[in-house]
Amino acid sequence: MRYLGRGVAGLSRWATIMGGLSIALMMAHVTADVAMRYIFNRPLSGTLTVVTYYYMIFATFLPLGLAERRRAHISVEVLTDMMPGRVQHHLRGWIMLPTAVVMGLVSWRTFDAAIKAWDLGATQVQGATRILVWPAYFALPLGTGLMALILLIRFASYLTGRPDGLDESEASR
């Protein structure tokens, strides 16, 4: 399980780098658009579409795996903090399974939508420019699928008591 965890951790790192790169590209693209608009009175065509259909989608969904690996998702422990430590441990362990199922369903449905968008050759028209948007549809199933896979690996680790290989400190051993 440790090797599978390391492989998924590597995919998660790659997806997160792509999400971070999309933020840097978005910043450069919007800056160039503003400069072209105000200096040369010639804005870059399609900026709004590229920002909303690519950069923002990649920056939002690709790093979901990293957030799950780092246990950085928002959680509210109003009642669970009052429970004994052993109950909290088992509750955290068992909640991973239904969460993985939900994220797996989201991944499956968004993959289906991505395939349909691909088949249609989905585009968005902005001004006189037609921009392909179907590739961005694949970011959703990738991000949610990674999160589901990480949750399943963690759940298996919880059940067996064996290391999952997902954590940075564990990967160096």
Side-chain angles (χ1 to χ4, degrees), residues 100-124:
V101 168
V102 168
M103 294 311 292
L105 288 171
V106 170
S107 183
W108 170 52
R109 296 298 295 155
T110 56
F111 182 74
D112 188 45
I115 292 296
K116 287 177 183 172
W118 180 16
D119 287 342
L120 290 172
T123 60
Q124 188 74 23

Side-chain angles (χ1 to χ4, degrees), residues 146-168:
L146 271 172
M147 184 174 166
L149 193 52
I150 288 168
L151 284 162
L152 287 174
I153 290 169
R154 283 235 166 96
F155 182 68
S157 175
Y158 162 73
L159 289 177
T160 63
R162 301 181 78 164
D164 56 26
L166 291 166
D167 297 322
E168 302 291 333

Side-chain angles (χ1 to χ4, degrees), residues 80-92:
T80 56
D81 278 350
M82 294 184 266
M83 296 177 182
R86 185 179 171 127
V87 172
Q88 288 181 29
H89 170 72
H90 290 298
L91 188 58
R92 272 193 298 274

Side-chain angles (χ1 to χ4, degrees), residues 18 30 44 63 139:
M18 300 313 294
V30 170
L44 296 176

